[in-house]
Amino acid sequence: MAEALQRYAVVTGANKGIGLEICKQLASEGIMLDDVSDPASITSLADFLKNRFGKLDILVNNASVRGGNNVNYDALKAASISGHEVIN
């Protein structure tokens, strides 16, 4: 598949249950996947996606994080991965 037509997805909580099934279904459609399990890696992942692919087509935020970690939506918006609105 040509890289311009390739779609990219990030799935959190993909190690079991619903997240794992989501990954299986997306992969069966030819979508490139990445699992995010470390909150500290979100910023570096956003930079990598922006620089390598210029976009993120699908974000599945399935992970349940104990301890009340908050997602920094301003940081995600600042990364401007694809120009799509970040929904929380």
Side-chain angles (χ1 to χ4, degrees):
M1 183 178 291
E3 189 162 322
L5 300 176
Q6 180 66 57
R7 293 182 297 167
Y8 302 95
V10 171
V11 179
T12 64
N15 61 323
K16 62 183 177 179
I18 293 171
L20 180 58
E21 184 60 28
I22 290 169
C23 285
K24 289 177 182 178
Q25 294 294 319
L26 291 172
S28 74
E29 296 294 324
I31 297 170
M32 298 290 294
L33 295 158
D34 197 356
D35 174 33
V36 179
S37 56
D38 177 10
S41 68
I42 292 172
T43 301
S44 62
L45 176 64
D47 290 340
F48 170 77
L49 291 168
K50 183 177 179 182
N51 293 328
R52 174 74 168 103
F53 306 114
K55 64 178 185 167
L56 176 63
D57 298 300
I58 301 166
L59 171 62
V60 179
N61 192 8
N62 177 63
S64 173
V65 180
R66 295 178 191 240
N69 289 351
N70 294 319
V71 174
N72 185 337
Y73 290 101
D74 291 332
L76 289 174
K77 287 178 184 177
S80 299
I81 294 172
S82 68
H84 295 287
E85 182 180 358
V86 175
I87 300 171
N88 61 14

